[in-house]
Amino acid sequence: ERVEPLEHDAAGNIRFDIHYEVDSRQRVVGWKVFDGNGNIVKRFEVDFDSQDLEIEKRQYGAEGKLERLQRYVYDDNNRRVEEQHFDATKTLRSKKVFTSRGDETIANYYDVQGNPIGGPAA
């Protein structure tokens, strides 16, 4: 486990504390966010495939219930081409699609009907 420096507010009080979980391959496979009183506020878990590509990230609330889920899709060259955003019921809410144009990568968000939107749907 790796602990990051504490985040403090202007008065010097601890705002939050993050504890990272690192596996034997030194990949961050999760982290917990604690408030200034040491209570868990959020917990995150990350899954990788056999090629060390991040394929799923899950966010849990203080009560341990799933809040949101992201899945990642890659092309044959291991470039991320899509992020899929799911809600707490694992229902697809939006997608972020990456398009390469020369050296530039453009990211656009779409709702489940394929309509452009400004950011991930909650």
Side-chain angles (χ1 to χ4, degrees):
E1 185 171 285
R2 191 171 77 208
V3 178
E4 289 295 306
L6 302 174
E7 174 79 20
H8 294 85
D9 64 18
N13 300 311
I14 296 172
R15 287 183 43 203
F16 61 85
D17 185 12
I18 302 173
H19 294 232
Y20 290 93
E21 296 173 43
V22 180
D23 68 7
S24 61
R25 299 171 79 175
Q26 297 305 305
R27 300 179 301 190
V28 175
V29 294
W31 61 95
K32 295 174 187 169
V33 180
F34 297 87
D35 66 15
N37 295 319
N39 301 308
I40 290 182
V41 180
K42 301 276 183 204
R43 179 174 56 91
F44 297 84
E45 294 176 349
V46 180
D47 291 337
F48 296 88
D49 69 6
S50 60
Q51 296 182 329
D52 287 337
L53 297 172
E54 184 178 331
I55 57 172
E56 187 172 287
K57 185 184 303 173
R58 294 171 301 281
Q59 174 184 316
Y60 299 89
E63 312 80 37
K65 294 188 183 207
L66 181 68
E67 293 181 336
R68 59 188 320 174
L69 166 82
Q70 289 179 288
R71 289 194 179 129
Y72 307 106
V73 179
Y74 297 87
D75 67 11
D76 291 339
N77 295 316
N78 296 333
R79 290 181 300 218
R80 189 178 292 179
V81 294
E82 187 174 289
E83 275 180 19
Q84 301 169 345
H85 307 115
F86 297 83
D87 63 18
T89 66
K90 296 185 180 178
T91 301
L92 181 64
R93 303 290 295 162
S94 63
K95 293 180 181 181
K96 182 178 183 181
V97 178
F98 301 93
T99 307
S100 294
R101 294 190 186 146
D103 291 339
E104 185 180 9
T105 299
I106 299 166
N108 293 296
Y109 289 93
Y110 299 93
D111 65 15
V112 291
Q113 289 81 31
N115 301 309
I117 56 176

